[in-house]
Amino acid sequence: MSFTPLQPATLTRQPDGTPYSPDYGDVYHSAAGGPAQARAVFLAGNDLPQRWQGRERFVILETGFGLGLNFLATWAAWAADPQGATTLHFVSVEKHPFSADDLAIAHAAWPEFAALSAELRTHWPPLLPGVHRLLLAGGKLILTLVFGDACATLKKIDAKVDAFYLDGFSPAKNPELWSPPLFKAIARLAAPGATLATWSVAAAVRQGLAAVEFDLEKRPGFAGKRDMLVGRYRSRKPLRHTPPAERRAIVIGAGIAGCLAAERLAARGWQVTMLEAGDGPGSGASGNLAGVVRPHPSIDDNPIARLTRAGFLAALQTLRRLGPAVRWAACGTLHLAVDAEQEVMQQRTVAALGFPDSHLQFLDAAAVSQRLGRTQAFGGWYFPEAGWVQPPSLCRAALAAGGSAITLRTQTAVARIERHAGGWQALASNGGLIAEAPLMIIAAGHEATRLTQLAWLPQRAARGQVSHLEATGLPPLAHVVSGHGYVTPAVDGLCCIGATHKLDDPGTEERIADHTKNLERIATLLPGFIDGIAPESLHGRVGFRPVSPDRLPMVGPVPTGAPPSGRHLPMQEGLWCVQGFGARGIVWSALMAELLACQIEGEPLPLEHDLVQAVAPGRFLLRKLEG
């Protein structure tokens, strides 16, 4: 599969100061006044703010984010409306996004939006392809940016949209953004009664929208333009999802996956009971002193690369949002090549992807040696914003953010679960009722398949042992170093190295042989770094990671395990899981928690459809059917 790098926009102006795209030969908004145009065409054209008033949730989709003017005008109108929707989703596609610095320059022309622009730019993502979710206005305004070609990406978006802003460059300049395939994608996303508005009344636009069941009318245009176009979706196709009437849930497992899932539900008004067999949050596989958070790029940008990139960016946002209660450091991570061949591959990958230096760089051996203060034979990847996280602190911070909406019960082992008329019950080994709720989420790590409802899930336990080294006897280390093993900078006076990986080994004891393996890996990665350290002198920690056959997470509704009918899998009503993170729990947990909450609520999803399918638990049953 070929990969096309993202091409950012460059801020250019016409002589009168109007922002202009030299690539498309068109302006981003009329010279007559940007905010007024946004309000007259897109807000009023979709009968806003009236249509969002009294709604719990309202979803808008825009076909060209540009400078963000329509978004800022919509945000301002929603914020000023005491009857506005409780939660506003704004989904916007942009093939050529601007940098935050260019947005700052452009937004200076609209001082009325200064505070909103500053908040937007604080959360503005790096210019990387894919879906980026920004939580603004205390999490009540959710901006989902999709960086990529609209015709391709709209096919991968999963949302039910109440209002469309069709605001690409003119049909004559950018015909693909007004083409029949794009109109079909819009119709697929339209909720019953959805509206649209655009300044374009071109005949091809009207014909294309009418062909996908939009009833259209012309209205007076803005600033001397005679007409604009509005429409309403006439199809009465049923909604595919009905949000739960009662927002109570049980989460089994208080590791990173379970705690972040509970926090995301709590933010949406759910009451969550968490059941943890151990002594506290993060007492299982999430109990390590420090874990590494970094993406895993590939030259073809395969699904694992896309998921770890999206997960990494979501993790950074979550860590910053949860604040100082989480112990972590964006100290930068070096992933070193083991030989000249791998070094060449890494260099080619960086060149092919064209990612911003703030996300990924290739450093040659001399630059790596300078950063580490020691001579290294090979270069490698450098992730400036990556680093280490202490998982138990992340678990605790997530639960604290959920406040009284989350009730944690520790030393509470669940022996089995059962479905009853009122929902799901968690039962103890003696058959006693522990808790019940309409919805249940399994985040029990490697123990999950002991439950009958997940016994079919092809998940295995991988035993991993981490070794702790006294930092006082080691050369100073400013970055996480990974590759053939990994080593962290000092955390509480200890550097973490590891980790071993052995499937289906239930042993919980520390093993000298495993400490030896960890030391051998670091000796290869950083020659001389651990000289003189005897494995017999080390201590560490043993944990068990839940691993899937394809090394991707397993997140979503839980199938019954019965054979599918066609490609339709029968699901167990009200039962969900967030499983199979393997060694990438910190990277994936925040994104998967948001995905799970959006699936449960029926909100726009924070991932492309193909990636949602790639992590769906039922994928293994479908593969069996396909042979």
Side-chain angles (χ1 to χ4, degrees), residues 89-429:
H89 279 268
F90 196 103
V91 182
S92 190
V93 179
E94 181 53 61
K95 186 176 183 179
H96 303 294
F98 283 99
S99 69
D101 289 342
D102 277 348
L103 290 180
I105 295 170
H107 292 178
W110 310 312
E112 63 195 284
F113 300 140
L116 305 185
S117 170
E119 184 174 348
L120 172 65
R121 287 181 282 110
T122 297
H123 292 83
W124 192 249
L127 302 188
L128 294 162
V131 178
H132 304 266
R133 174 149 291 182
L134 283 61
L135 304 183
L136 305 168
K140 295 302 182 182
L141 174 58
I142 301 175
L143 173 59
T144 303
L145 293 166
V146 188
F147 289 164
D149 178 78
C151 292
T153 56
L154 282 179
K155 297 176 182 177
K156 298 178 179 180
I157 291 175
D158 196 333
K160 277 300 172 190
V161 178
D162 299 299
F164 293 92
Y165 294 180
L166 305 187
D167 193 26
F169 293 119
S170 71
K173 304 291 186 179
N174 188 17
E176 289 186 357
L177 210 53
W178 308 90
S179 63
L182 185 131
F183 296 147
K184 288 180 181 177
I186 286 173
R188 180 185 67 83
L189 295 168
T195 61
L196 65 82
T198 178
W199 47 264
S200 176
V201 292
V205 173
R206 288 184 280 116
Q207 292 165 4
L209 289 169
V212 294
E213 300 189 83
F214 278 92
D215 292 326
L216 305 169
E217 66 170 296
K218 291 181 181 179
R219 290 185 185 176
F222 172 78
K225 185 172 172 55
R226 187 175 68 180
D227 298 313
M228 59 174 276
L229 191 67
V230 300
R232 183 174 293 273
Y233 191 53
R234 66 175 175 268
S235 173
R236 288 295 177 259
K237 61 185 179 183
L239 284 171
R240 292 174 296 172
H241 184 279
T242 302
E246 188 179 2
R247 291 179 170 176
R248 288 190 302 110
I250 296 168
V251 176
I252 300 179
I256 298 178
C259 290
L260 286 174
E263 188 271 332
R264 289 289 77 210
L265 286 178
R268 289 162 167 84
W270 285 70
Q271 292 292 317
V272 183
T273 299
M274 298 202 68
L275 307 178
E276 167 58 42
D279 295 333
S283 57
S286 298
N288 285 346
L289 176 63
V292 180
V293 55
R294 47 149 287 195
H296 292 259
S298 70
I299 198 167
D300 60 351
D301 207 35
N302 60 36
I304 287 182
R306 292 166 60 201
L307 275 168
T308 57
R309 179 170 70 248
F312 171 71
L313 296 175
L316 290 184
Q317 286 195 25
T318 298
L319 292 167
R320 292 164 182 156
R321 176 172 60 83
L322 293 178
V326 187
R327 295 193 62 196
W328 70 290
C331 57
T333 294
L334 287 161
H335 182 88
L336 303 183
V338 298
D339 54 32
E341 182 178 358
Q342 186 182 18
E343 186 180 48
V344 170
M345 180 276 293
Q346 289 181 321
Q347 190 169 13
R348 287 178 55 213
T349 297
V350 171
L353 295 175
F355 291 164
D357 285 349
S358 62
H359 182 74
L360 172 64
Q361 302 173 29
F362 173 79
L363 302 182
D364 62 19
V368 166
S369 298
Q370 184 176 17
R371 281 198 167 272
L372 293 177
R374 55 188 299 109
T375 301
Q376 292 290 130
F378 303 106
W381 287 328
Y382 178 52
F383 305 93
E385 292 189 311
W388 61 266
V389 178
Q390 187 173 82
S393 73
L394 177 54
C395 295
R396 292 190 295 269
L399 297 183
S404 61
I406 301 176
T407 300
L408 173 64
R409 295 173 60 181
T410 59
Q411 296 182 328
T412 305
V414 176
R416 68 180 193 276
I417 61 174
E418 292 181 358
R419 173 80 183 170
H420 288 267
W424 286 93
Q425 295 183 340
L427 303 172
S429 57

Side-chain angles (χ1 to χ4, degrees), residues 569-595:
L569 286 172
M571 298 293 173
Q572 304 190 57
E573 183 181 353
L575 186 63
W576 301 75
C577 76
V578 53
Q579 289 287 143
F581 289 2
R584 296 176 176 141
I586 302 173
V587 175
W588 278 334
S589 287
L591 177 64
M592 293 299 111
E594 179 71 8
L595 171 62

Side-chain angles (χ1 to χ4, degrees), residues 524-537:
T524 301
L525 188 67
L526 296 173
F529 184 78
I530 46 87
D531 284 356
I533 296 178
E536 296 83 2
S537 67

